[in-house]
Amino acid sequence: METFTLATAGAGLVYDVRGPLPTADGRPPLFLIGHPMDASGFAALAARFPDRTVVTYDPRGLGRSTRQDGRVDWTPEILADDVHAVVAALGAGPVEMFASSGGAVTALALVARHPDGVTTLVAHEPPLITITPDGPAAVRARAGVRDAYEQRGWGAGMAAFVAMTSWEGEFTDAYFARPAPDPAAYGMPAEDDGSRDDPLLSDRSWAVSDHRPDVDAIAAAPTRVVIAVGEESRAVQTGRTSDAAAELLGQRVTVFPSHHGGFLDGEFGYPGKPDEFAARLREVLDAS
């Protein structure tokens, strides 16, 4: 693996390349992206593609990447332009892309803004909360996570986030009537470390989950776009947003093994099924 830093006008983007460029097999590089997950979250998945040249990166202001744009928020448009810059820096033509969570939102914006950069996009569980039928209630639930974080710190915010993302079905009055979740019940610390800059729990990434894909631009792009969902996610929020995104693009979701982090080993405490997930991803990419 080689690591590079790309200096742009507003950021220093760190990316890793596993394998040769140009690629040994003549296929496009496989680019794995997330948000707020950085490159470290894709180590297990990258290891399961030893025959491919795999690229990962840290979004601006996360992991090893820096930012000098004077902002503390993230928008899909800025993130998409960053990914486009990295693709151009590779000098290896368009890429195949697997994009997870907020990275899937970035990737949909990328296809709309830079349609020649990606041949096939597998967008896994994009959290586009405003496009579900209960969008206003989902926005309210998201605000509740931010409020818990602001008022009581990281443990309370993360407990609220887990409670929200594990709720099955639409956000009804029953959801909002529940007592605030106890951080200890989720193995989270109760003490407040004073920080309020977490990209997942604060409002700094709300533009990502508020995004509405440019359907016409995506349809006009030469990119094959696949909306993917984990088989264990179907009833929870990211499963429902995946269904809504697929419907918006005139397709049906493609089902993958496991859950929202189904490609993860156990290093983050919530292992998926990385072998089965990688096999399914390979099958979907090969169908191109």
Side-chain angles (χ1 to χ4, degrees):
M1 185 177 77
E2 290 188 80
T3 298
F4 304 87
T5 300
L6 175 65
T8 70
L13 304 173
V14 177
Y15 63 98
D16 305 308
V17 179
R18 297 168 171 84
L21 287 174
T23 61
D25 59 2
R27 290 188 64 171
L30 174 58
F31 203 155
L32 312 177
I33 71 170
H35 191 272
M37 180 178 282
D38 60 29
S40 64
F42 293 103
L45 186 56
R48 287 164 171 81
F49 285 87
D51 56 319
R52 298 287 305 271
T53 294
V54 178
V55 181
T56 55
Y57 98 119
D58 293 349
R60 65 170 57 202
L62 298 172
R64 301 158 297 173
S65 291
T66 59
R67 67 187 310 174
Q68 300 85 36
D69 57 1
R71 298 177 62 160
V72 296
D73 64 325
W74 288 272
T75 71
E77 294 77 16
I78 289 175
L79 294 166
D81 289 348
D82 284 347
V83 174
H84 175 66
V86 174
V87 171
L90 296 174
V95 299
E96 291 185 323
M97 182 170 288
F98 171 78
S100 169
S101 192
V105 180
T106 298
L108 290 170
L110 172 67
V111 171
R113 293 170 70 83
H114 306 285
D116 296 323
V118 183
T119 59
T120 296
L121 164 64
V122 180
H124 184 250
E125 300 198 11
L128 299 165
I129 67 172
T130 66
I131 68 172
T132 58
D134 63 329
V139 168
R140 180 184 171 192
R142 181 186 64 180
V145 172
R146 187 273 316 274
D147 293 346
Y149 176 55
E150 290 288 342
Q151 294 165 13
R152 301 191 302 279
W154 186 86
M158 184 56 74
F161 178 78
V162 173
M164 179 187 73
T165 55
S166 59
W167 178 263
E168 295 189 353
E170 296 190 354
F171 293 105
T172 60
D173 291 342
Y175 173 83
F176 296 106
R178 299 190 311 168
D182 179 6
Y186 296 97
M188 309 295 176
E191 62 273 10
D192 184 353
D193 65 4
S195 65
R196 294 295 186 272
D197 57 356
D198 188 286
L200 187 66
L201 305 178
S202 68
D203 56 11
R204 297 184 176 190
S205 296
W206 279 12
V208 174
S209 51
D210 281 341
H211 184 68
R212 189 174 185 88
D214 186 335
V215 175
D216 291 339
I218 293 172
T223 308
R224 173 184 174 234
V225 176
V226 177
I227 303 296
V229 66
E231 62 187 353
E232 298 173 29
S233 301
R234 300 307 302 273
V236 300
Q237 185 181 44
T238 54
R240 295 189 302 111
T241 60
S242 300
D243 283 326
E247 183 177 355
L248 198 66
L249 298 179
Q251 60 178 263
R252 302 181 70 175
V253 290
T254 297
V255 180
F256 271 61
S258 197
H259 48 66
H260 190 64
F263 51 90
L264 298 173
D265 276 330
E267 69 270 40
F268 296 101
Y270 188 33
K273 298 177 180 178
D275 290 335
E276 295 93 328
F277 195 99
R280 180 62 167 144
L281 178 57
R282 188 181 295 274
E283 176 184 287
V284 172
L285 292 174
D286 287 348
S288 296

